[in-house]
Amino acid sequence: MKSIGLLLFSMLILLSSCFKDLDQNPLSTVTTDTYFATARDFQMAVSGVYGVALRGATKGNSYGYPDRLMNLGETRSDNLYAITDGARDWEGINDFQSTIGNNTYVSEAWVNDYAAIAKANLLLEKLEEKGKAIVNSDSLVTRYTAETRFLRAFCYFDLVRWYGPVPIVDKSLVAEQGVDYPREPVEKVYDFIISDLEYAAANLPASYPAKELGRVTKWAAKGILAEVYMAMSGPTYNIKGPGLAKNEWAKAYSLLNEIAEKGGFAMEADYSTIFRTEHNKEIIFDVEYSSGDNATGGSFVWILTPDGYFKSIGFSAQGSNYQRPLANSFRSVFAPGDVRANFGIGDGYVDNTSSNPVTYDYPFYIKWVDPARYGTGRTDWGVNFPVLRYTDVLMLRAECTLHGGGGTQSEVDDIVHKVRIRAGDNSPVSGITLDQLFAERRKEFFEEGTRWFDLQRSGKLVEHMEAFRLAEDALNHRVEPITNNAVIYPVPQSEMVKHPGLYTQNPGYDE
């Protein structure tokens, strides 16, 4: 897309015309003493942390943050029934297999988050050591520090929601030192996350000029901090997972209410505008991509959409034609005429690329497929991914209200009514419950990576997914009952081997 915000770029690209000199070695290939020598070096380093934290360390291989949500979150949830021939990496995720320690997607989250954390730690050290002298601006050094601490916290929050206890690394290390860092209790990880986010919220600006859109703001920091408090307040499931039953709903409510009342955001009248117009009034925090420009396009667009569909609308092959279709029970929750389903769900296509056209009639996602944002290939879509948007803030605030964190029932009913009106349903709303709120969130935020985390917080993940398994699994892939252990993923086997004896595998998964 046309934005040049910092969220777009990795260490090999720069943010605007003042960053044009790209024929430099990336940070990983030069010594830190020679690299952090100019103000531009610090600008590039901040870009590098954004790039790895949000877009991934490796381009074009489903390694960005949005791609991860598709593969680990959406695929595992009750929104999809992703069964093909039993040989796809995502099927172990979909099937709740106990042998997924070597799964590509399970490993990717750990590796890329810690790659971003390593870059963040190094940058923070250099900002402290010589940032003020070289950048020559106390305020800019403070902002760089706040941005970097936000991104580090964002990665740790990602890790703790996927794996539970994880190592806390807060300084730059040589590779051999990693063995000295055991997994820390979830509560200690949250303390570290909260410290970073509180600093970010206190020191980030509320907005940026147009040429710098895409940088993280104080509103994004407050929003993610609210989500941290909500995750902590979720049930424990009697495992060492993200939920600690901490009852921090009031803290989350206060932050979300501040965003709602003072952030200057608003609901878009048209649902499609949220996903087809850059920097619209709903967007609080997003991952930005730019097709055809400096190789900064995204790959998440094609992950859950069948290749045959792209061919049917005149595009080149995007991946493989192994489908990850919607679960029947999810497609059926939308009323006829629901604007969200009409916009984001396809119910079939004709593959006419051969002499014998084939008709497919299963439901699948098309929410991110914006033909106007297609670039040079499947990894070059210029579609921004909203991590946090205003409607989400309002509905999360309503969730806090229903847990006694503040606000009133009428406010809960009001936001659900507004969401339904935009979707085309003007029927009366009264006495919305938590179950009804989660059901509405499921329809509002499909393919945005929220469903798995919503199920975690609901306290009903296991019973819900087990009922889903029994009702939906006609192919009998999910043979074993789904248990509390499935709330989080295993520690990647590569990490277990790399640090023998240091980590204990999460229960329910093979060593």
Side-chain angles (χ1 to χ4, degrees):
M1 304 178 96
K2 295 178 182 178
S3 167
I4 54 175
L6 278 171
L7 292 175
L8 293 175
F9 300 96
S10 71
M11 285 305 297
L12 298 178
I13 56 179
L14 294 173
L15 301 175
S16 63
S17 59
C18 64
F19 299 112
K20 289 181 180 178
D21 297 331
L22 302 184
D23 55 346
Q24 303 181 45
N25 290 325
L27 184 58
S28 59
T29 65
V30 297
T31 68
T32 58
D33 289 337
T34 60
Y35 186 84
F36 289 100
T38 69
R40 181 182 298 182
D41 291 342
F42 279 97
Q43 290 174 319
M44 290 181 70
V46 175
S47 304
V49 181
Y50 271 106
V52 180
L54 302 178
R55 291 166 43 82
T58 304
K59 176 180 166 49
N61 291 298
S62 304
Y63 286 165
Y65 177 75
D67 308 66
R68 184 179 310 142
L69 294 178
M70 303 303 111
N71 289 318
L72 292 184
E74 200 76 15
T75 296
R76 198 166 178 87
S77 79
D78 55 344
N79 286 353
L80 298 184
Y81 182 62
I83 296 299
T84 57
D85 61 356
R88 308 300 112 189
D89 282 340
W90 68 76
E91 292 184 89
I93 304 296
N94 176 88
D95 299 348
F96 291 82
Q97 293 176 8
S98 64
T99 57
I100 55 175
N102 283 320
N103 185 279
T104 299
Y105 303 129
V106 172
S107 299
E108 174 278 319
W110 185 289
V111 169
N112 276 287
D113 276 332
Y114 275 109
I117 289 166
K119 284 186 178 290
N121 287 337
L122 176 60
L123 175 55
L124 289 169
E125 289 177 4
K126 295 305 175 182
L127 284 166
E128 176 68 23
E129 176 187 334
K130 54 184 179 179
K132 290 182 179 180
I134 294 176
V135 177
N136 198 28
S137 168
D138 289 0
S139 62
L140 193 55
V141 168
T142 298
R143 195 192 78 194
Y144 285 168
T145 300
E147 289 178 90
T148 305
R149 290 187 67 174
F150 170 90
L151 292 165
R152 182 172 67 176
F154 186 78
C155 290
Y156 272 115
F157 187 37
D158 191 49
L159 286 164
V160 83
R161 290 202 286 184
W162 297 129
Y163 305 106
V166 293
I168 298 176
V169 183
D170 61 355
K171 61 183 178 181
S172 58
L173 303 169
V174 296
E176 292 76 12
Q177 290 176 296
V179 73
D180 297 327
Y181 285 78
R183 298 172 75 192
E184 298 288 355
V186 168
E187 190 159 11
K188 188 173 180 180
V189 180
Y190 276 135
D191 288 342
F192 189 78
I193 293 169
I194 291 168
S195 176
D196 271 356
L197 290 177
E198 287 180 338
Y199 181 92
N203 290 285
L204 286 169
S207 61
Y208 294 91
K211 68 179 181 179
E212 295 184 295
L213 291 176
R215 295 178 185 264
V216 63
T217 67
K218 74 173 183 178
W219 304 118
K222 288 176 182 287
I224 299 302
L225 180 56
E227 289 198 77
V228 169
Y229 284 129
M230 293 178 74
M232 293 171 65
S233 301
T236 68
Y237 294 95
N238 295 314
I239 64 168
K240 295 177 180 179
L244 299 176
K246 296 288 284 187
N247 196 28
E248 301 283 17
W249 303 107
K251 290 182 180 179
Y253 178 90
S254 178
L255 291 162
L256 296 165
N257 196 53
E258 184 181 358
I259 298 170
E261 294 188 349
K262 300 179 181 179
F265 305 99
M267 288 181 66
E268 288 287 352
D270 181 66
Y271 186 74
S272 65
T273 299
I274 302 168
F275 312 100
R276 295 295 183 262
T277 302
E278 286 185 309
H279 307 130
N280 61 77
K281 57 191 177 183
E282 283 240 2
I283 302 302
I284 297 171
F285 174 42
D286 66 356
V287 183
E288 301 199 347
Y289 296 92
S290 181
S291 62
D293 179 20
N294 292 322
T296 57
S299 58
F300 73 93
V301 173
W302 63 265
I303 289 177
L304 301 182
T305 301
D307 189 54
Y309 172 75
F310 288 105
K311 294 178 181 178
S312 76
I313 60 173
F315 285 90
S316 61
Q318 299 294 297
S320 70
N321 207 27
Y322 292 102
Q323 302 93 0
R324 288 190 241 185
L326 270 64
N328 293 326
S329 56
F330 176 49
R331 183 63 184 91
S332 66
V333 303
F334 291 94
D338 190 302
V339 167
R340 297 166 298 193
N342 292 343
F343 171 76
I345 295 174
D347 286 307
Y349 63 91
V350 177
D351 185 347
N352 54 12
T353 57
S354 68
S355 58
N356 296 308
V358 179
T359 299
Y360 295 90
D361 60 359
Y362 61 88
F364 54 91
Y365 286 142
I366 57 172
K367 191 173 192 172
W368 304 116
V369 182
D370 182 357
R373 305 296 183 184
Y374 183 61
T376 59
R378 66 174 186 163
T379 63
D380 191 31
W381 287 86
V383 177
N384 289 357
F385 181 86
V387 177
L388 183 66
R389 55 185 177 93
Y390 185 64
T391 303
D392 198 7
V393 164
L394 298 180
M395 297 186 82
L396 290 172
R397 184 180 65 172
E399 184 180 339
C400 293
T401 296
L402 294 175
H403 281 287
T408 65
Q409 179 68 50
S410 63
E411 291 170 339
V412 175
D413 295 343
D414 180 63
I415 178 55
V416 173
H417 191 216
K418 288 178 179 177
V419 168
R420 289 182 180 177
I421 287 175
R422 183 167 66 185
D425 178 5
N426 196 24
S427 57
V429 174
S430 178
I432 291 293
T433 65
L434 273 170
D435 285 346
Q436 291 172 319
L437 181 66
F438 280 119
E440 199 63 45
R441 284 183 58 82
R442 186 185 184 194
K443 292 185 287 186
E444 176 70 13
F445 300 106
F446 66 86
E447 208 181 2
E448 294 181 53
T450 65
R451 180 58 176 171
W452 183 254
F453 301 134
D454 285 354
L455 287 170
Q456 283 182 346
R457 291 195 315 279
S458 75
K460 298 181 178 181
L461 184 152
V462 176
E463 64 182 85
H464 187 87
M465 291 305 302
E466 179 63 1
F468 173 81
R469 176 184 76 88
L470 295 173
E472 191 84 19
D473 191 17
L475 298 180
N476 205 32
H477 275 244
R478 292 168 167 165
V479 177
E480 297 297 325
I482 297 167
T483 70
N484 289 354
N485 295 326
V487 172
I488 55 177
Y489 282 99
V491 176
Q493 187 61 30
S494 58
E495 298 301 317
M496 300 290 290
V497 172
K498 188 186 303 181
H499 309 299
L502 184 64
Y503 302 150
T504 300
Q505 183 57 273
N506 289 332
Y509 295 102
D510 293 355
E511 292 283 350

